[in-house]
Amino acid sequence: MLIAAQNNSTSGDSEGDELGTLDLQTRTLPPHLTPRSGTPVLSGVKSRTSFKVKNKKISVTKKYTEEWTVIKNGKAPLDVSSTTMEGSVSGSGNEGAEYKGWLSKWTNYIKGYRNRWFVLSDGQLSYYRSQAEMAHTCRGTIYLAGATLKSEDSCNFVINNGSAQVFHLRARSEVDRQRWITALELAKDRANKMREEVDDEDDFVVSPESTATALKQKLDQLNTCQNLVNQHGLALQQVISQIEDSPKLRSLTKDPQVAQLIKKTAEFRVASSSMIKACSAFVTYAAHHEREWQVAQEQRARLEETVESLARQHVSLEKAMNKSKRNLGPGTGLPEGEGVIGIFDSDEDDEDFYDAMETSHGHVDSSDGANGNAPGTSAEDNLPQESSTTLIPRTSSRKRRIRIPDKPNDKANLWNIMKNCIGKELSKIPMPVNFNEPISFLQRLTESMEYSDLLNRAADCSTVEESLAYLAAIAVSGYATTSTRTSKPFNPLLGETFEYDRTDDLGWRSIAEQVSHHPPISALHAESDKWIYHHDFSMTSKFRGKYLQVFPIGNTHFIVKKTGHHYTWNKVCTTVHNIIVGKLWVDQSGEVNLKEHTTGASAVVKFHPYSYFSREPPRRVTGNVFSGEGDPKFSISGTWDSHMDYAKVTAVRGNTDDIETGKFSRLWSKHAPLADAEKIYHFTEMACTLNEPEEGVAPTDSRNRPDQRLMEQQNFPDANTMKVRLEEAQRARRKIREARIAQEGDSARYVPKWFSKELDEVTGEECWKYKNEYWSCKTTQSWDRCPIIYLQDEEEDTT
């Protein structure tokens, strides 16, 4: 085995002091590899080891470069290709090599062999359906330690790790198979050696203090050896000089062997003198650098203390800033359009502390720069300024609440509820408020716009494909709270409305109305200076014994005012499990189909249903964005209760399922929950503001609903009584209306006040569109058209 070693001393860099590198080159093959003539084999392994000091620890990094050569009839090898396998060894002791490529894997007798992307790393072989899946989904893994590899023919081979895992694989050619076998054998050898070694994570981690002590001991030993060599060398020189000066021994120099001995002794004397001088110089040099290292250690320790102190001060300033931001009112004399964040603006990079920053809405945003806004910046800072709408957070004219009263601790007695229903008509059995949350479905519908910054970004994108990626994220984000909120909202009464005006801080406002009761249909319209967002929602449901399925009906529309691009998408099926026995939990399944009707660009987002037998993470969402020609442009992945990422498609192999992507970036992250969220129905901060009392709203607004307000105030008995009265009054109005329809015809049917059913000119579908009259009526407080749907003492309106 040929080994070449080199030790290079380098100065410290930004990552740490590099003590040196060690290059090893081996020219042997494992004994069990027997290459045939003309077969590419691994003939050389180069290993480079570097040592670095970082955070008071020595990090050892190894890189392996393996060269492929062809052996022909035992002659000199001819290089045909090279493959690099890289890994790293850190303080944790993880050693890994990497080899990637396509192989066909046997699945079953129906599908046969299927192409999969395989990755060999850290002693284990993993596979994926495509390279794009490497960022989020692994289809299977087999550990090579103790495994057996068997070649069946020129292309097929089998990996069996002795357990239930067996991989039947097929390479594209015999050369490709031999490359994989060689790489797998090497990885298997490394895995076996690692398993045999002592599993100690601190094998490659030593403190600078212990290293300095060891080096000092070695230096002392070297100094002692240098003194001994110096002492014995001088004694040897004296003996040689005496021999040369002695007349008795001078005659012996005529002997050839004695002459050769004298010559070699003289050469050794010169070499030993040079060695003694070099040793003395090294001892002096090492002692000098030992002092420099000690000084550097002291400086580093002081620098670490300074950085920690600055970090603590930074966090304290953030807390003070956030506290001042919440307490600061409109009359503080700040320039118009500038809030507290503007005072603390800095050009320095604050990414290290961004995850702890609080946004203008009070949410602790766990997302990265792809979603949340950095402190003191807006969502438009990285986008072209093409609209007058500003998203810079500023102090609102009103201070909205961030909590609601805690829900009572008492639980509903299902038996008492059933006992009270005995003898009543099925249609008149009321559902107690114990199973509700204190908001209306109209308010829950508005809550789907919690992440409205995604709409602003979609409106500012330069391409429709990128806009579709952001719209896919907001379509997914609407389900984020359903993972913890299993209580149902109040069913809206016919004619009930809900307005939500956030133009002072978010730049948009919305109005929702219950336009139909049988079937129940809710319509929502929201608008900003950049976009229009509207949808109508209806549903059908099926109760299947253990679970309830809700199938939404209706599409969401998003129109960009500047470009006229018109996007639509649907909703997916919601399943509520454990209706009868057990803890309720919610799952989403189905596909969201997004489309831009001007260019034909589209996106498909799939909600994967939960399965007990699947290895995939629960609540998984995947999808792709396509151009108008059908070419994939972006890949989307994530979970509907946490986050969404996207990456640009760089290459397509065959069909659209086999794609390569670039680096994934964060599209959206769920806001962190409020403290003790389980006590307030797992409401988000936006949900807490939805039912906050507000003056000047329509009489039919959900905030004025008495049973909902009583429930929020923890008065469940009165809330149940009021809920029954409201429902009975609505039934009475419906009977009177039906009698009038029988006499007067369709002219007596109920007509919504703020929406009308129209044919959309772009999609060609019927939808409920806003009449553009609500906000002008609010300005003049003209509510004559509003029906009286909430009881005023004993007064009921049945018209």
Side-chain angles (χ1 to χ4, degrees):
M1 182 170 63
L2 251 157
I3 300 180
Q6 179 181 4
N7 195 346
N8 301 325
S9 177
T10 59
S11 59
D13 56 11
S14 59
E15 295 184 354
D17 296 332
E18 184 170 339
L19 302 181
T21 60
L22 183 64
D23 291 345
L24 299 178
Q25 182 172 356
T26 64
R27 290 294 177 184
T28 60
L29 283 172
H32 53 277
L33 295 182
T34 55
R36 294 178 293 178
S37 177
T39 302
V41 297
L42 188 68
S43 65
V45 180
K46 295 181 181 179
S47 171
R48 182 177 181 86
T49 306
S50 356
F51 304 82
K52 290 187 180 180
V53 177
K54 184 175 182 182
N55 297 331
K56 298 184 179 181
K57 293 183 179 181
I58 292 182
S59 174
V60 184
T61 304
K62 291 185 180 179
K63 286 189 177 180
Y64 302 91
T65 304
E66 303 182 352
E67 299 178 352
W68 296 97
T69 59
V70 171
I71 306 297
K72 287 193 174 180
N73 301 324
K75 297 183 180 180
L78 175 65
D79 187 20
V80 292
S81 62
S82 64
T83 303
T84 300
M85 305 172 68
E86 294 186 353
S88 64
V89 175
S90 62
S92 62
N94 294 325
E95 179 177 352
E98 187 169 340
Y99 189 75
K100 305 176 182 178
W102 289 98
L103 289 171
S104 297
K105 180 181 179 297
W106 175 263
T107 55
N108 51 51
Y109 287 99
I110 298 177
K111 296 183 179 179
Y113 283 92
R114 294 290 181 177
N115 286 336
R116 296 291 184 262
W117 179 258
F118 280 81
V119 176
L120 176 61
S121 176
D122 295 330
Q124 58 188 20
L125 182 66
S126 305
Y127 69 93
Y128 311 82
R129 286 185 178 175
S130 63
Q131 290 177 270
E133 281 194 344
M134 291 179 62
H136 53 82
T137 304
C138 177
R139 299 290 173 177
T141 299
I142 188 169
Y143 295 92
L144 299 178
T148 59
L149 280 73
K150 179 181 178 182
S151 298
E152 295 185 333
D153 52 34
S154 60
C155 295
N156 291 15
F157 60 98
V158 180
I159 306 175
N160 189 341
N161 67 352
S163 62
Q165 283 186 301
V166 180
F167 282 10
H168 295 266
L169 305 176
R170 176 189 292 169
R172 297 182 178 179
S173 63
E174 184 177 359
V175 173
D176 192 24
R177 180 193 65 85
Q178 186 60 40
R179 289 180 178 177
W180 272 104
I181 290 291
T182 305
L184 290 168
E185 289 284 3
L186 289 171
K188 173 187 170 182
D189 289 343
R190 281 192 292 266
N192 289 332
K193 290 178 181 179
M194 289 178 61
R195 188 169 65 174
E196 294 172 359
E197 293 176 354
V198 179
D199 187 17
D200 186 1
E201 293 186 353
D202 296 329
D203 284 346
F204 295 98
V205 180
V206 291
S207 65
E209 291 79 5
S210 60
T211 303
T213 302
L215 289 178
K216 190 176 185 305
Q217 292 176 354
K218 297 298 181 182
L219 193 60
D220 293 339
Q221 294 175 5
L222 182 61
N223 197 5
T224 303
C225 294
Q226 184 249 341
N227 293 332
L228 291 174
V229 171
N230 194 9
Q231 178 183 352
H232 293 297
L234 291 175
L236 180 61
Q237 290 177 13
Q238 291 175 2
V239 173
I240 294 174
S241 298
Q242 291 174 1
I243 293 175
E244 290 178 345
D245 296 339
S246 174
K248 297 180 180 181
L249 299 176
R250 191 174 300 168
S251 61
L252 297 175
T253 58
K254 296 180 181 180
D255 189 344
Q257 294 181 351
V258 175
Q260 184 70 16
L261 175 63
I262 294 175
K263 180 181 177 182
K264 293 298 182 182
T265 305
E267 292 176 356
F268 175 75
R269 180 179 59 187
V270 175
S272 63
S273 299
S274 300
M275 185 191 70
I276 291 172
K277 291 180 181 179
C279 190
S280 300
F282 176 76
V283 170
T284 304
Y285 180 80
H288 173 70
H289 276 274
E290 180 187 6
R291 291 191 295 271
E292 289 185 350
W293 193 15
Q294 291 175 351
V295 172
Q297 283 180 319
E298 295 174 358
Q299 292 177 349
R300 175 169 294 184
R302 290 194 296 269
L303 181 61
E304 288 177 351
E305 293 176 358
T306 303
V307 171
E308 290 177 2
S309 176
L310 288 174
R312 288 192 294 268
Q313 294 177 9
H314 192 108
V315 173
S316 300
L317 285 174
E318 287 177 350
K319 292 180 179 179
M321 178 192 69
N322 295 330
K323 184 177 180 181
S324 301
K325 178 182 66 178
R326 289 191 296 266
N327 297 333
L328 196 58
T332 56
L334 293 177
E336 183 178 358
E338 183 174 4
V340 179
I341 293 180
I343 302 175
F344 290 89
D345 263 351
S346 171
D347 294 333
E348 297 179 357
D349 189 3
D350 293 335
E351 290 183 357
D352 290 342
F353 299 95
Y354 171 63
D355 286 341
M357 286 296 293
E358 186 175 286
T359 65
S360 62
H361 315 307
H363 298 292
V364 179
D365 198 342
S366 60
S367 65
D368 56 13
N371 181 40
N373 302 330
T377 63
S378 69
E380 293 182 338
D381 286 347
N382 298 323
L383 298 170
Q385 298 294 332
E386 300 176 349
S387 176
S388 60
T389 301
T390 176
L391 299 178
I392 299 177
R394 53 183 183 270
T395 305
S396 175
S397 59
R398 57 172 295 185
K399 186 176 180 180
R400 299 180 183 271
R401 67 181 185 181
I402 59 174
R403 283 191 75 86
I404 63 172
D406 293 353
K407 65 178 180 181
N409 200 19
D410 57 332
K411 297 183 179 180
N413 190 315
L414 183 60
W415 173 248
N416 289 337
I417 296 173
M418 295 176 64
K419 184 175 62 175
N420 295 330
C421 295
I422 296 176
K424 295 184 179 180
E425 293 183 19
L426 188 61
S427 61
K428 295 184 178 181
I429 296 177
M431 181 65 69
V433 299
N434 305 70
F435 299 100
N436 288 59
E437 56 184 12
I439 58 173
S440 169
F441 183 78
L442 296 179
Q443 294 167 319
R444 187 73 177 264
L445 202 62
T446 306
E447 192 182 353
S448 63
M449 297 186 62
E450 180 174 0
Y451 301 93
S452 59
D453 59 307
L454 296 172
L455 296 177
N456 293 305
R457 296 189 179 204
D460 287 321
C461 288
S462 57
T463 64
V464 293
E465 292 83 6
E466 190 174 1
S467 297
L468 282 168
Y470 282 106
L471 294 178
I474 199 167
V476 172
S477 68
Y479 299 97
T481 60
T482 61
S483 61
T484 54
R485 287 167 60 181
T486 56
S487 300
K488 65 180 292 291
F490 280 78
N491 292 332
L493 301 174
L494 182 62
E496 184 175 334
T497 61
F498 176 71
E499 68 162 76
Y500 196 60
D501 191 350
R502 297 298 294 264
T503 53
D504 56 349
D505 53 355
L506 301 183
W508 59 269
R509 62 186 182 183
S510 67
I511 174 65
E513 181 183 9
Q514 187 71 6
V515 296
S516 174
H517 187 64
H518 287 288
I521 301 176
S522 304
L524 171 73
H525 177 93
E527 188 170 357
S528 75
D529 290 342
K530 295 182 177 181
W531 45 261
I532 296 174
Y533 174 96
H534 70 88
H535 65 183
D536 45 83
F537 179 88
S538 183
M539 67 176 186
T540 61
S541 60
K542 290 184 179 180
F543 179 62
R544 303 184 183 274
K546 294 179 62 177
Y547 59 91
L548 174 70
Q549 285 186 311
V550 178
F551 301 92
I553 300 174
N555 289 325
T556 302
H557 296 250
F558 178 76
I559 301 99
V560 181
K561 291 185 175 181
K562 185 179 70 171
T563 61
H565 290 148
H566 191 132
Y567 304 84
T568 60
W569 64 88
N570 62 296
K571 290 183 174 290
V572 296
C573 172
T574 299
T575 306
V576 184
H577 294 269
N578 296 339
I579 294 293
I580 303 298
V581 179
K583 184 179 180 180
L584 291 177
W585 61 279
V586 178
D587 193 24
Q588 316 292 342
S589 60
E591 288 187 353
V592 175
N593 295 284
L594 301 95
K595 184 177 181 180
E596 201 288 305
H597 294 268
T598 305
T599 62
S602 62
V604 178
V605 181
K606 183 177 181 180
F607 287 67
H608 297 265
Y610 175 78
S611 173
Y612 290 102
F613 306 102
S614 175
R615 296 182 179 180
E616 305 295 345
R619 308 183 180 101
R620 189 166 62 100
V621 177
T622 58
N624 293 313
V625 178
F626 303 92
S627 65
E629 293 75 23
D631 301 324
K633 295 296 182 181
F634 292 97
S635 178
I636 305 173
S637 66
T639 57
W640 53 261
D641 67 329
S642 174
H643 68 279
M644 288 293 293
D645 299 328
Y646 79 122
K648 191 172 183 179
V649 175
T650 57
V652 181
R653 299 176 182 269
N655 53 37
T656 56
D657 293 333
D658 188 6
I659 60 176
E660 295 182 8
T661 64
K663 183 179 179 181
F664 275 80
S665 301
R666 185 56 50 89
L667 268 175
W668 157 77
S669 287
K670 180 183 176 181
H671 292 149
L674 299 176
D676 298 326
E678 66 279 359
K679 296 182 180 180
I680 54 173
Y681 309 90
H682 292 281
F683 275 12
T684 63
E685 186 171 316
M686 179 180 180
C688 289
T689 66
L690 294 174
N691 203 44
E692 184 177 7
E694 185 173 336
E695 296 181 357
V697 299
T700 53
D701 197 275
S702 300
R703 300 177 181 89
N704 299 325
R705 182 164 175 164
D707 54 347
Q708 188 172 293
R709 182 66 57 193
L710 288 169
M711 180 188 176
E712 182 184 291
Q713 296 170 354
Q714 304 178 336
N715 190 349
F716 279 31
D718 290 348
N720 279 317
T721 302
M722 180 57 68
K723 182 172 180 290
V724 172
R725 293 179 60 194
L726 291 175
E727 291 173 351
E728 289 178 348
Q730 180 170 241
R731 294 190 192 99
R733 290 194 296 271
R734 181 185 177 188
K735 288 182 179 180
I736 295 175
R737 192 180 306 112
E738 289 175 349
R740 292 179 56 188
I741 293 173
Q743 295 178 358
E744 303 174 13
D746 290 343
S747 60
R749 293 186 181 276
Y750 177 81
V751 178
K753 310 306 176 185
W754 313 109
F755 288 82
S756 60
K757 196 171 187 179
E758 301 177 10
L759 188 68
D760 189 271
E761 60 276 7
V762 175
T763 64
E765 300 176 352
E766 283 190 337
C767 60
W768 290 90
K769 288 192 173 183
Y770 176 54
K771 296 180 180 179
N772 293 310
E773 297 175 355
Y774 179 85
W775 300 107
S776 58
C777 290
K778 182 182 179 181
T779 303
T780 59
Q781 288 294 297
S782 302
W783 304 122
D784 297 339
R785 70 176 74 182
C786 294
I788 300 176
I789 58 175
Y790 305 135
L791 303 177
Q792 304 292 335
D793 295 330
E794 298 297 327
E795 181 180 327
E796 298 180 4
D797 179 71
T798 57
T799 60

